[in-house]
Amino acid sequence: MDFSDITLHNSSELEQLVLKVGFLPFFKNKIAGFSVEEMTPREYWFDDENEGPWEWKMTIVRNWNCAYGTLFGGKSGYVSLQWYPHLINYRRSKFSFDAAPLDAGGINRQKFIYDMVIANESMQSRDIKRACPFIDFPKKKLTPQEKLLGIKKEKDKGESFDKVITTLQMSTMLAIADFEYEYDKHGNPYGWGLARYAAPEVLYGEHVLSAGCSPEESFAKMLEHLKGLLPEAEEKDLLKMLL
């Protein structure tokens, strides 16, 4: 498929493309032309008069036909619900909470955040941070008394919040359920929109966990699909999308 002829102008065109191709990175990558960034004219980026890719993702997520989030090599992108069960099937087979490091307080931050989101069905990123006992650890500043006593700032041995959320999305344990704006005193939305997270099976239904084949078969199906879609791409670059 020749992606050089595709120009995106709205969320509908983007969503239909994702449904057609199955996988689509948001940002430019090693596969030339295969990204939302490269298919969208410059005038649609950061323009108050035109909605662009940053706004389109909110509409697409709410339509529940495509998953969006940090899904490709630690970077954002879309996967259609036709292929998302295969990605879940493969990625979860390679993921284990037991492999996550414990922080200085003995907390497995990946498991802590995941369990908290599951217990609440879904949670906004700001609320997750507020509920985590380790977000403000260690102290950002020492008191004058601590400095006089020669106390040094303790290093945080745990993963950052952003790294944990990235891992949970890449492993398909959590997905973005929505983007929610904050509002000023006049009722006007502002900012980028805060991500709300939920487990894919909560968001899309338990059937999203039923790929109907083994994890290895899911991987083979996805790789075969991408090879047919992107025949000129190097296999190592296609593998980076799936691993």
Side-chain angles (χ1 to χ4, degrees):
M1 184 172 181
D2 186 2
F3 291 97
S4 62
D5 294 332
I6 297 176
T7 303
L8 301 171
H9 305 89
N10 52 57
S11 63
S12 179
E13 290 180 355
L14 173 54
E15 183 173 11
Q16 289 304 309
L17 179 61
V18 175
L19 293 176
K20 182 177 181 178
V21 301
F23 303 84
L24 185 61
F26 192 89
F27 296 108
K28 186 177 179 179
N29 55 82
K30 292 287 186 179
I31 305 173
F34 189 54
S35 71
V36 176
E37 180 181 4
E38 293 165 282
M39 298 176 195
T40 307
R42 290 296 94 190
E43 60 265 27
Y44 287 90
W45 295 85
F46 307 107
D47 187 338
D48 293 336
E49 296 183 2
N50 295 302
E51 285 195 347
W54 297 111
E55 292 80 20
W56 298 345
K57 69 182 189 301
M58 300 182 189
T59 300
I60 293 173
V61 165
R62 291 172 181 173
N63 286 342
W64 293 5
N65 294 316
C66 310
Y68 170 83
T70 307
L71 295 169
F72 304 124
K75 295 184 179 181
S76 301
Y78 294 91
V79 178
S80 71
L81 289 196
Q82 176 186 357
W83 286 101
Y84 198 38
H86 287 292
L87 190 67
I88 291 173
N89 190 30
Y90 176 71
R91 291 269 180 88
R92 288 195 179 187
S93 74
K94 301 298 181 182
F95 177 76
S96 172
F97 283 115
D98 293 336
L102 302 182
D103 67 17
I107 297 174
N108 182 327
R109 296 185 178 184
Q110 293 179 15
K111 188 70 162 57
F112 185 96
I113 289 178
Y114 174 78
D115 286 344
M116 184 167 55
V117 173
I118 294 302
N120 289 277
E121 192 169 90
S122 72
M123 287 185 74
Q124 192 184 82
S125 58
R126 178 179 57 187
D127 295 330
I128 297 174
K129 290 180 180 179
R130 287 174 175 172
C132 289
F134 46 77
I135 291 300
D136 293 323
F137 177 85
K139 295 178 181 178
K140 291 183 173 61
K141 292 183 180 180
L142 295 174
T143 65
Q145 293 81 4
E146 289 172 326
K147 290 180 179 179
L148 286 173
L149 292 171
I151 296 174
K152 295 183 179 180
K153 248 173 89 169
E154 187 176 3
K155 292 184 179 180
D156 187 351
K157 298 179 181 179
E159 298 173 300
S160 68
F161 175 80
D162 289 342
K163 185 174 181 179
V164 173
I165 285 295
T166 292
T167 297
L168 292 175
Q169 290 178 81
M170 282 291 296
S171 63
T172 68
M173 299 304 295
L174 292 181
I176 293 179
D178 199 1
F179 289 95
E180 300 170 357
Y181 281 115
E182 294 186 298
Y183 292 85
D184 61 26
K185 62 181 180 180
H186 303 294
N188 299 313
Y190 68 90
W192 292 101
L194 299 173
R196 175 173 290 277
Y197 296 95
E201 56 267 39
V202 171
L203 184 58
Y204 303 114
E206 290 289 337
H207 65 275
V208 80
L209 302 181
S210 302
C213 59
S214 70
E216 293 73 23
E217 288 172 323
S218 282
F219 182 81
K221 287 176 184 289
M222 291 188 292
L223 183 57
E224 182 181 7
H225 171 72
L226 288 175
K227 284 182 175 180
L229 187 69
L230 301 157
E232 302 300 321
E234 294 189 34
E235 183 168 322
K236 63 181 179 64
D237 295 325
L238 298 178
L239 292 174
K240 284 181 181 179
M241 289 187 61
L242 300 178
L243 297 175

